[in-house]
């Protein structure tokens, strides 16, 4: 099926990164909006985006957008969508969504109206009075903001941050999509040496390694669309094989992760093994106060515990001060740190060379980037 419009929701602040990667994949008419990136194409584009996107949270088909300030308008708008092109007679089609700043405030009522409209459309097309919904799931999602309705069909299933390698994690782990973004903002490439002095379950280092080696994040997981009758599974395998062929193991990337918790280090090793990058990452027990450079040239990326994540505010601020003392301006060391603390730079002891606002879950954060005194002598080509 051609000429579909897709939307890739992403963490606020990552729209540009997400749009750039989708353009790099060769997808058509890519454009960024607040909290999402849109693109166009057929099922092949949908499959490619699901398998390869590091920064999108999921891939949805944008079926329709229209204005509605009454349930009748909502019903009629949904009923005009050609649901028979996507949903078979036995398929399940649950409905969920959100309504913000709109006259149609009741989410349960909106769910019922949308479900009813879909059923009425399918009754007319299939000449059935009842749908068992025992087949593959087609998750319908709606978003109503300021009386504008977006009707979407999820193609992903579990969110794209579920790469498949992190069955275990320590408390409050960073999301895989955000960790991948920090690696990109740090310009991690195939010949980099990356260090995380507070690595937890290893997500930042694993995402850095997967990026450096061009390992597609969705290569070893399944997606909701794989159960749909409309999808040619041979096409899925072809695109998956193309993505696999792009992996580059002939590179010098290496990484080291430190933590003071042996359980976290054990989990990190297990996760790296599942991700296929265990030979690129070494995990050791070391306190941040003992931090010294591991490599002459290194990229430090870290997500330190902070006030609303594991530590109280006073302890977090003590940690920032230690980091400022240990993260010295070595000629070819750069530092990328994420924190929600507006006073981070003051406590750390110096202003960042670059800052980027984004969200870690529901927490508003900034990524603080401290560049090396001299530019790192890495080749920044992809």
């Amino acid at each position: 099926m051609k000429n579909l419009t897709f939307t890739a929701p992403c963490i606020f602040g990552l729209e540009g990164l997400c749009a750039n990667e989708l353009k790099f994949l060769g997808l058509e008419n890519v454009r960024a909006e607040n909290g999402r990136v849109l693109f166009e194409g057929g099922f092949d584009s949908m499959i490619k985006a699901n398998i390869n996107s590091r920064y999108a949270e999921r891939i949805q088909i944008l079926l329709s957008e229209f204005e509605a300030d009454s349930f009748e308008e909502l019903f009629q708008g949904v009923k005009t969508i050609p649901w028979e092109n996507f949903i078979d007679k036995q398929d399940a089609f649950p409905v969920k969504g959100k309504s913000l700043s709109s006259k149609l405030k009741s989410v349960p009522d909106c769910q019922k109206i949308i479900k009813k409209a879909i059923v009425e459309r399918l009754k007319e097309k299939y000449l059935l009075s009842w749908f068992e919904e025992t087949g593959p799931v087609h998750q319908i999602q709606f978003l109503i903001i300021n009386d504008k309705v977006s009707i979407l069909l999820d193609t992903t299933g579990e969110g794209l941050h579920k790469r498949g390698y992190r069955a275990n994690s320590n408390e409050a782990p960073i999301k895989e999509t955000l960790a991948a973004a920090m690696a990109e903002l740090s310009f991690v490439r195939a010949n980099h040496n990356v260090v995380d002095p507070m690595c937890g379950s290893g997500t930042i280092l694993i995402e850095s390694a997967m990026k450096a080696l061009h390992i597609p994040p969705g290569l070893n997981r399944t997606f909701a669309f794989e159960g749909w009758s409309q999808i040619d599974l041979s096409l899925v395998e072809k695109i998956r094989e193309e993505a696999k062929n792009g992996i580059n193991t002939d590179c010098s990337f290496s990484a080291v992760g430190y933590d003071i918790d042996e359980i976290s280090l054990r989990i990190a090793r297990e996760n790296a093994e599942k991700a296929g990058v265990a030979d690129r990452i070494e995990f050791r027990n070391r306190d941040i106060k003992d931090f010294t450079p591991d490599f002459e040239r290194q990229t430090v990326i870290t997500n330190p515990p902070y006030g609303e994540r594991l530590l109280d505010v006073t302890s977090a601020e003590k940690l920032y001060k230690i980091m400022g003392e240990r993260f010295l301006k070595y000629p070819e060391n750069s530092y990328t740190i994420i924190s929600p603390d507006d006073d981070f730079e003051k406590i750390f002891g110096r202003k960042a060379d670059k800052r980027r606002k984004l969200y870690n879950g529901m927490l508003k954060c900034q990524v603080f980037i401290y560049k090396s005194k001299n530019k790192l002598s890495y080749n920044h080509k992809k």
Side-chain angles (χ1 to χ4, degrees), residues 71-353:
F71 287 127
E72 179 61 23
E73 288 179 332
L74 178 63
F75 179 89
Q76 294 300 334
V78 173
K79 193 178 177 185
T80 61
I81 297 170
W83 294 103
E84 64 278 6
N85 291 344
F86 303 96
I87 300 173
D88 290 336
K89 296 175 183 179
Q90 285 78 35
D91 290 344
F93 47 100
V95 178
K96 65 179 181 181
K98 297 178 182 178
S99 180
L100 305 168
S101 304
S102 298
K103 295 182 180 67
L104 301 178
K105 296 178 181 179
S106 172
V107 169
D109 286 339
C110 290
Q111 285 176 291
K112 291 175 185 175
I113 294 297
I114 291 170
K115 184 77 171 187
K116 183 179 178 182
I118 300 171
V119 168
E120 291 303 313
R121 170 87 184 201
L122 294 179
K123 277 183 178 180
E124 294 175 5
K125 296 298 177 179
Y126 292 138
L127 302 178
L128 292 174
S129 60
W130 178 258
F131 295 91
E132 295 180 359
E133 297 195 51
T134 56
V137 174
H138 292 60
Q139 179 65 63
I140 312 301
Q141 298 178 320
F142 67 89
L143 180 62
I144 308 175
I145 301 178
N146 296 321
D147 299 325
K148 183 178 180 179
V149 181
S150 297
I151 302 295
L152 308 119
L153 175 59
D154 177 54
T155 74
T156 302
E158 281 196 300
L160 289 177
H161 68 282
K162 298 283 189 179
R163 319 291 208 206
Y165 65 77
R166 200 169 75 177
N168 298 309
S169 63
N170 62 340
E171 191 177 352
I174 190 170
K175 205 171 189 179
E176 292 90 330
T177 44
L178 181 53
M182 289 183 70
E184 175 61 22
L185 293 172
S186 305
F187 293 101
V188 169
R189 295 296 184 265
N191 59 346
H192 271 209
N193 305 312
V194 177
V195 178
D196 184 351
M198 292 167 280
C199 68
S201 55
T203 307
I204 287 175
L205 297 175
I206 292 169
E207 290 295 327
S208 295
M210 290 177 69
K211 183 181 186 307
L213 274 62
H214 293 181
I215 298 175
L219 188 63
N220 296 315
R221 56 158 288 174
T222 58
F223 303 95
F225 66 75
E226 291 184 73
W228 299 359
S229 65
Q230 297 84 2
I231 303 300
D232 180 356
L233 292 181
S234 66
L235 177 61
V236 178
E237 288 311 306
K238 177 176 178 287
I239 294 172
R240 201 184 293 273
E241 194 63 28
E242 289 173 353
K244 186 177 180 180
N245 290 338
I247 295 174
N248 175 28
T249 57
D250 185 21
C251 66
S252 61
F253 176 88
S254 66
V256 182
Y258 294 99
D259 207 279
I260 58 173
D261 181 51
E262 283 294 346
I263 294 176
S264 292
L265 291 170
R266 176 179 58 78
I267 291 171
R269 292 185 188 104
E270 290 173 358
N271 291 342
E273 188 71 38
K274 289 173 188 170
V277 295
D279 61 329
R280 301 286 178 158
I281 310 173
E282 186 176 354
F283 294 100
R284 306 173 190 163
N285 188 307
R286 187 177 72 179
D287 196 294
I288 184 65
K289 69 178 186 298
D290 300 319
F291 176 85
T292 55
D294 289 270
F295 307 95
E296 182 180 349
R297 299 169 296 167
Q298 67 179 21
T299 302
V300 177
I301 312 173
T302 194
N303 174 36
Y306 37 73
E308 296 184 47
R309 175 183 169 268
L310 305 181
L311 293 184
D312 60 76
V313 174
T314 302
S315 297
E317 290 181 349
K318 287 181 181 177
L319 181 60
Y320 296 158
K321 190 172 185 299
I322 292 171
M323 290 165 61
E325 293 169 351
R326 304 306 298 177
F327 291 3
L328 301 178
K329 295 182 179 180
Y330 296 107
E332 294 190 279
N333 281 218
S334 70
Y335 306 95
T336 300
I337 308 156
I338 186 170
S339 172
D341 196 328
D342 291 334
D343 294 325
F344 174 83
E345 289 168 299
K346 181 180 177 182
I347 301 164
F348 185 79
R350 60 186 186 271
K351 285 190 172 295
D353 296 299

